[in-house]
Amino acid sequence: MDEILLLKALILGVVEGLTEFLPISSTGHLIIVGDLLGYTDAQSKVFKIVIQLAAILAVCWFYRVRLLEVVIGLWQPGRERRFVGNILIAFLPALVLGVLFHHAIKTYLFNPLTVAAALIGGGLVILYLEHRPQTPRFTTVDDISWREAFKVGLAQTLAMFPGVSRAGATIMGGLVFGLSRRAATELSFFLAIPTMLAATVYDVYQARAMLVFDDVSVFAVGFIAAFITAMLTVKTLLRYVSNHNFIVFAWYRIGFGLLVLITAYTGLVNWS
């Protein structure tokens, strides 16, 4: 048993759980932290897919009561059927563009320096949006129409660029299109389920040849760490957005992105 490898798995699992649903880019952090830990081989790529699944399951468990209501109410017209329709409509742009550009993005954009630039750019956008006057027209996810859902879905496609942040794109998009902070955050959580599940299934299929039994212990450590941390993050974020804006995340993105660029420029870290 490689204890160092298990420690890396634990660290990356915690990073995934902490960052997946915050507007700071989980993919970007996994790329940067993985590079810093020297965990960038073929196994690491499959590992990062597996721990994303843990974050999805954490959201499903957190919202298990609502999701059960959706399943029960889906068979008759009403709130639950409209809710599912809106989620599917919001998911559609990412599905189409993901199929078209998935390979190119994975090949050319998954590196620490492009992530750092996207972190800084996204942070500046959040600062700009947070200083605009906002008057929410929709206080819950159930209030929105298919039009708002589709617009937020278009915003989500920006997160195909690693470092932008899927959560950041959907939450900020929701605020721009009239959702309250809590409604935008919850929509981001619910939209993560089909979006991340589809991406995970596709990535696992693509990497199926690299799945080996010897990696089970490493994957299990990262999976459990990501699940527990994601559960705590979702619960904490919902409380946070009730009384705070997202400016602190904007400054964090800018500071972290600048740190990566400075260490690369000065040679302190040899980013791959």
Side-chain angles (χ1 to χ4, degrees), residues 28-197:
H29 278 73
L30 288 177
I31 291 171
I32 291 172
V33 176
D35 193 89
L36 198 59
L37 294 174
Y39 190 40
T40 58
D41 59 8
Q43 182 200 58
S44 72
K45 295 177 174 59
V46 184
F47 172 82
K48 291 168 186 175
I49 298 168
V50 171
I51 60 176
Q52 278 192 327
L53 178 60
I56 302 170
L57 294 179
V59 167
C60 292
W61 179 253
F62 186 84
Y63 284 106
R64 60 192 181 279
V65 174
R66 177 63 197 276
L67 293 177
L68 181 60
E69 292 174 351
V70 168
V71 172
I72 295 173
L74 187 58
W75 310 109
Q76 57 188 6
R79 183 185 76 153
E80 307 303 352
R81 184 177 292 184
R82 186 173 65 253
F83 170 81
V84 172
N86 284 342
I87 295 299
L88 292 177
I89 288 170
F91 167 58
L92 188 60
L95 175 63
V96 173
L97 294 181
V99 170
L100 292 176
F101 300 109
H102 178 273
H103 178 71
I105 291 170
K106 288 274 188 178
T107 302
Y108 300 110
L109 299 180
F110 271 54
N111 65 78
L113 298 185
T114 58
V115 167
L119 285 170
I120 295 170
L124 294 173
V125 170
I126 292 175
L127 287 178
Y128 169 73
L129 293 178
E130 283 290 14
H131 284 91
R132 292 178 58 196
Q134 297 175 8
T135 306
R137 294 179 290 121
F138 309 99
T139 56
T140 71
V141 173
D142 295 315
D143 294 336
I144 68 173
S145 72
W146 68 267
R147 296 176 183 82
E148 284 74 38
F150 184 70
K151 291 174 184 176
V152 173
L154 288 175
Q156 180 178 236
T157 62
L158 297 174
M160 293 175 64
F161 194 108
V164 168
S165 169
R166 190 206 58 79
T170 51
I171 293 173
M172 290 299 112
L175 295 181
V176 169
F177 301 127
L179 279 69
S180 67
R181 294 186 186 279
R182 187 178 181 91
T185 303
E186 288 199 324
L187 179 58
S188 176
F189 292 159
F190 288 124
L191 186 52
I193 297 173
T195 303
M196 292 171 60
L197 187 59

Side-chain angles (χ1 to χ4, degrees), residues 5-18 30 39 46-61 196-197 200 204 215-231:
L5 187 56
L6 290 177
L7 179 59
K8 292 178 180 179
L10 177 64
I11 293 171
L12 288 171
V14 171
V15 169
E16 165 64 20
L18 281 174
L30 288 177
Y39 190 40
V46 184
F47 172 82
K48 291 168 186 175
I49 298 168
V50 171
I51 60 176
Q52 278 192 327
L53 178 60
I56 302 170
L57 294 179
V59 167
C60 292
W61 179 253
M196 292 171 60
L197 187 59
T200 300
V204 167
D215 295 336
V216 168
S217 59
V218 175
F219 288 8
V221 168
F223 188 96
I224 294 170
F227 182 89
I228 295 173
T229 312
M231 278 282 293

